Amino acid sequence: MEVVLASSSSGEGGIGCWDLHTGAEQLRYKSCASPSHGLVAVGARFLASSSSHLRDSLATSSLLFWSWSKPQPEVKSFPAESIQPLAANHSGTYIAGGAPSGHIYLWEVETGRLLKKWRAHFREVTCLVFSEDDSLLVSGSGDGSVRVWSLFMIFDDLRSQQATNLYEYSFSEHTLSVTDVVIGIGGCNANIVSASLDRTCKVWSLSRGTLLRNIVFPSVIDSIALDPAEHVFYAGSRDGKIFIAALNTESIVTHNYGIIDSFSNHSKSVTCLAYGMRENLLISGSEDGMVRVWNAKTRNIVRMFKHAKGPVNNILVVRRENDSSNHTSPIIQASSKKQVSNLPPPLEKYANPKDEDSNMKTIISLGGGRRSVDPLYISSHVISNYIKQFQHEGSGAASEMEMEKLKQDYQLSMQMANQWKKMYENLHQFCVKELLDGGQTRNLD
Amino acid sequence: MLKTVFPLTPDSSLSLNAAVSDSAQIFRSLGFSVPTMAFDHFGNMYDVAFKPRLLLTLTRDHLPDENSPFSNPSELSNIVSLIKTHSLLSESFTQSTPPKVMEAWKSALTSWLNRIYSLLSTTMPDKCWVGISLLGVTCEECSSERFLESYSVWFQKLLPFLQSPSGSHLVRVAACASMSDLFVRLSGYPKIKKESSSCSVKVVQPTLKMLSAENSEAIWDAAVHLLCTLITSFPFSIRNHYASVESAIALKLLSGGSSLDMLKKLAHCLALLPKSKGDEESWSVMMQKILVLVNNQLTLAFHGLEEDTMRIEVTRLLALPREVLPPPLGGYILAEEVGNKASKTSEQSLMSNASTLMFCCGLMLTNSYPVKVNVPVRLLLALVERILMVNGSLPQMSLPFMTAKQQENICSELPVLHSSSLELLTAIIKSMGSQLLPHAAYIVRIITKYFKTCELPELRIKVYSVTRNLLITMGVGMALYLAQEVINNALADLSSIEHKNGGILNGSNSNTSARHKKRKHSSTTASLQEHNEGGGVGVEVPKNHPLPPISLRIAALETLEALVTVAGALKSEPWRSKVDSLLIVIAMDSFKEGSVGEEKSVLEPAANVTDLQLAALRALLVSFLSFARVRPPYLSQGLELFHRGKQQTGTKLAEFCAHALLTLEVLIHPRALPLVDYAYANNNLLEAHSNLQHEYFGRSNSTPYGLPQVPPHDYDDDLCARWLENGNEADESLDKNTKYTGEPSEACRANNPEVLSIHVSSGTDIQERTETVSEAATCADVEMKTVEDEINFKSDQQGESVVQFQDPVFCTTNIPVAETGSDVADDSVSEKIFSDSTVPRNEASHMESGQGSSVNRDFKLASQSNSLWKATSGSNIFEEFVLQLPEADGDDFPDIVDGDPDSDSE
């Protein structure tokens, strides 16, 4: 089931969830006021969002986890700083969060351990995204820089001490705060597209580490969505238009610096965009609280979801498994009933330097849903095995069987011999008797 | 007597009596019953009626019974194969099966079973064996109804054979196998779980007894298999005997004397054992126990051979996780026994125990497990490192304490131990997946250290495979780390070619000089020529410097392939050119060796020359595909190789080459096909008014909602249009490059009417279309209509769309025209074919001028000719242009930074 999730900064609406294909509204997840880029689906297993509440003039910030089936957040964690952008790798084993101080935090989901925390930018981190193969992390910042981090470098203490920079690339061509970053497919040849308050979108080459294209828009772009074929990208602007900008379209005669087209039905600013894979649907969220689903080809609105009064600021399209508890064996089902939740523990606030041995172990699930189906029936195999042995005479088992057979034969012949013996003796006695009797009678005669 | 052919094989009966059988069928279909058995023919070999007949014949004539002797065992395999091919025991009826046939089949099966029962009750071991084995086959093959009906009878019949201590080994092995099959089948019916688990409980004890009492490996094997089946299918039955199963298996594992195969089976069973409990705790305890034991054995074996730091580290990590260590594997008594024995036993058996146990660890990591488990990654890695760092050399201080004999013993077994620890490393990588990240650096360090010292080909192959796994699982980030190490080692292993090659590719230590040399032969032909010259000399080289075995070279090539796949374009400058030239040289070499290949393959049956060739070509393909910036330097040579490979019909090589050529075709004719056809069918308004389109084109582009059904012509046209657009580009480049001033495009057109024609028919936007229409002499009526049409509804939809692109129907085959254009145009066209990179770059860097000029040009042309343009100028298109231009002017142009025309903008 492919669902659209939308959250807003106001917090009243919670996180709305709709089935993209039927349009039916699903469970609404409550009490969440997410900042922009603060909502992620962690490996399609559960939903996580950073959230900040202004209560009693004291900003408390937390990270909330929802399981798909319950509206209330089940796990709350309170990191050291208020985390804004969140990102999870594709398999859902790590969560990265960006802080206003410019630090990036990296947690292991399964244990909640804070594995690393490093100073990434001079100002707040505004957006985070994992690369296709999960080995790179791209971050955008309030200081206008976009940086590419290799997670290996981050984890390798030895090399990171030797290296001058932790990052692989630092792009600083944006003059104002970065509002969104996306990365395409293609491993090391991927393109990164970033949008900024300076009214430009820039396309960067990962393999070369250079700026490929700079596209100037008439107004600020807050969100970018890549067309899966990376032919174009969609840019949602503050004047309510969605621009289509060329990415890989050499063939199109470009007008206006790479902007191919634009369309709009938003009265207010477009705050977030997402692309639904199955049917070429573009989903946009707007400041007016509506979520619109567009047919990317015809650019007609296919569906509209009303989320809240406040601005929608995050949209996710998630392919959700129908029911996560289906595949599990009865043993787990029993245990999960006991535990109530199978969400991971809350994320830790600090890395624990004393307990350095804690990262000696890692919790993993073995084999996942994969069941090994071996050719389990063996008796015909055993038969052919032994027949082979029979044919190669002299092997242990065969000769043993031969022995058994011979023993049986031996016994039979013994019996036979005995019988013969008996018969012979009987006959003998009979003959002797006869002879003796005959002699006697003759004598008598 | 048993060697006779079955009288009723379908073929013979068909060929002999086809006519009769037809008539018999007609009779049957008419409802008449055919009275006599002898002429009761059936339809064909698929006919259901055939099956009971064959089964009966088999039972009657070919199975031994109490009286007739069992003389030819190979007959039995014939029976089994017939039963399986025709599924004679399946009793699978359809609706249309006549009841008579159903009855016949049922009775045939009953008589089959009766015969088996009677065989089971004989005292002759061979007949008994036949009965037991066939009962196992019946468990596998029979229908569900039959199985559910009689499994308890079968179970009762089989059980005595397991329990009785006497009896032939063969019979007991067959009983274990058949019992295991019975349980496998039973596990498929969760409804009768209660009954089946009560059965399974009865089996465990006798099986354990067999394992401990018997002395034949065949029986152990069968018993272990039965245990594994019980663990996976009926975990409950094992749970009560957990400790005794563990100790029985551990005893067999550690007591030595078993074959390698048997040890692996025992390890497999031990690794499965925690599944019977299925909780996190028992998995961890088992892992812990095994690791403790491995560590102890290693400490005994490596005494005096290793530095203390590694041992202490591993022992510390072992003690860490829990305060109380679990009891040793198999219980204290066993441990004591083993401990006593260990002091006496040789290093060899210690080390082989360790490698079996590590194999078991690897299985525990890769087998599935119902719950999440806590893997002591750090400990496992430390253990691997500890083993890999021991190479048999003696430290100075321990020289007096060890005899040369001891050292010999250890060194003879070390490769096996290293190999199993590398396997364990592979298992760790596989099971951890992305969660390996925090430990990745550690693994890389182990690998790099080991790579430098490792010399045995088998071990190097394993290291290569670990490296490949790392590269593929961990992606780009890992590749940045491992690249240099992989390159150095692969170059060393593929060095035979290097020697032949007169030093195109020197070893890793002379990086710079190699590259300088490479630069000198900047043209590929030069370096390849040199290689060809060197080829003759190189034949002598191997004599004092033996070629690395083919399998090692294959592994090196595969690892290079993985490296280039993952990180061919990212920070690869230092090694890229070296690797590319190496790969093409190897690939070309592999074709040259063709005739030599035959005799070599006899010597090296494991991996022959064709495998090497395949590996070389695979790596070559990847190296072509991963180029991001420049055209692959050896593309033409490579293409020729792929063509040659494709001609070797019927081989894997030919298959791969066909695939490679297809892939390369995309490289040669690059295309960026839009998911949504923006450019040429971007007429959302046409969509909205698809009725109009229907009238003119008779087809619809998409369903109203849902997956767009993009008709193929769109793609054709996209490609085609891009070709034609290159003609446009040619115009533009002419604009720039030639010294024509004023109206360059005009001048160009005047000179080259053909180019003009390209331009006219290429049609990338509506303006040009109007041109086309304006020069009505060359245009068909249909076009005219369409344009008018578009204009019509454009006026309906003002302010909605920005630019209208032409519907692509009219872009036809103008490619030859483009190629026969003026010389200049031709050049630039061909340039574009090779590197698509220039296209967007030109567009980007000349966006302003290009745009301006194109509008101007078009405007001029249009206004020259016809008033149609004026008609469209009233529409929104022109307005948009006018509106957009000032905006464009208002912006600072220098935002475009990278103006390098050779680079590519993807």
Side-chain angles (χ1 to χ4, degrees), chain B residues 69-117:
Chain B
F70 175 57
S71 58
N72 189 357
S74 64
E75 190 61 42
L76 189 64
S77 69
N78 207 350
I79 292 174
V80 172
S81 87
L82 275 176
I83 281 173
K84 290 205 163 177
T85 334
H86 297 283
S87 48
L88 293 181
L89 305 179
S90 67
E91 292 182 285
S92 54
F93 307 118
T94 54
Q95 295 283 327
S96 57
T97 312
K100 203 184 125 214
V101 175
M102 285 167 73
E103 279 310 308
W105 202 344
K106 275 184 184 157
S107 72
L109 202 67
T110 312
S111 68
W112 161 267
L113 282 175
N114 285 335
R115 176 62 66 87
I116 287 179
Y117 295 155

Side-chain angles (χ1 to χ4, degrees), chain A residues 156 208 214 234 248 250 379, chain B residues 181 445 678 895 904 906:
Chain A
D156 191 347
R208 236 169 306 171
N214 182 36
Y234 299 92
N248 199 7
E250 300 91 335
S379 43
Chain B
D181 284 2
R445 238 164 268 138
Y678 296 94
D895 274 332
D904 153 358
E906 302 320 302

Side-chain angles (χ1 to χ4, degrees), chain B residues 297-343:
Chain B
Q297 308 256 314
L298 287 182
T299 310
L300 284 172
F302 287 168
H303 186 69
L305 277 172
E306 60 178 349
E307 291 163 24
D308 280 345
T309 47
M310 279 312 299
R311 180 174 55 80
I312 292 165
E313 166 74 1
V314 173
T315 316
R316 186 185 70 87
L317 286 169
L318 260 177
L320 256 183
R322 55 190 87 231
E323 281 68 43
V324 188
L325 278 173
L329 186 69
Y332 287 102
I333 302 159
L334 174 66
E336 219 163 88
E337 263 173 46
V338 171
N340 288 338
K341 253 168 98 188
S343 52

Side-chain angles (χ1 to χ4, degrees), chain A residues 64 74 78 230 354 411:
Chain A
L64 307 175
E74 285 184 44
F78 300 94
E230 293 188 34
K354 285 176 213 160
Q411 273 175 0

